[in-house]
Amino acid sequence: QVQLVESGGGLVQAGGSLRLSCAASGRTFSSYHMGWFRRAPGKEREFVAGISSRGGSTRYADSVKGRFTISRDNARNTVYLQMNSLKPEDTAVYYCAAVNFLTVVLVPSQGNEYDLWGQGTQVTVSS
């Protein structure tokens, strides 16, 4: 079983950058596809980015494509979300999520396909 802890959130001005990290416990991190989701106040949770278990495949929401980059370091049991050119509409609580690659072949974009979640980290972008 993998447990997930996000960090790196904070307050940043529009146009700035942040890098989120999600540290995973357990020895099977490389068996999990990883995803980043976010929930803004008054809105539903939405997919941000995902990466396959070995890092060979990534996918992004259209709203962040070209600005955000997901990556992982399986030796450090960590997945990252580099966020550049931040906009006020990126303000949200960001969550990382995991699903075993034996459960789903492709990196999912639907939250209900992930079965492990972190506690979230707040990102606030001021205008």
Side-chain angles (χ1 to χ4, degrees):
Q1 189 79 342
V2 171
Q3 292 183 320
L4 308 173
V5 179
E6 302 95 335
S7 62
L11 173 63
V12 64
Q13 288 188 329
S17 298
L18 281 174
R19 189 176 80 156
L20 304 183
S21 299
C22 173
S25 64
R27 295 181 291 177
T28 59
F29 178 70
S30 61
S31 297
Y32 288 81
H33 298 322
M34 300 297 296
W36 284 98
F37 289 77
R38 66 187 182 188
R39 188 192 298 273
K43 295 188 177 181
E44 293 188 354
R45 182 181 61 195
E46 65 173 346
F47 172 77
V48 175
I51 188 166
S52 58
S53 59
R54 299 302 176 97
S57 177
T58 59
R59 61 188 304 183
Y60 296 91
D62 287 343
S63 59
V64 306
K65 209 170 286 184
R67 299 189 298 125
F68 291 10
T69 302
I70 188 170
S71 62
R72 67 190 296 160
D73 184 339
N74 284 351
R76 296 179 183 272
N77 281 11
T78 303
V79 62
Y80 305 97
L81 185 68
Q82 178 67 44
M83 305 185 295
N84 298 329
S85 302
L86 282 161
K87 305 174 181 180
E89 51 263 44
D90 294 318
T91 295
V93 178
Y94 283 71
Y95 301 88
C96 69
V99 60
N100 195 291
F101 80 102
L102 296 176
T103 303
V104 289
V105 175
L106 301 178
V107 179
S109 62
Q110 299 298 315
N112 59 11
E113 295 191 79
Y114 290 83
D115 47 27
L116 299 170
W117 292 85
Q119 84 290 347
T121 186
Q122 176 71 46
V123 172
T124 303
V125 184
S126 63
S127 57

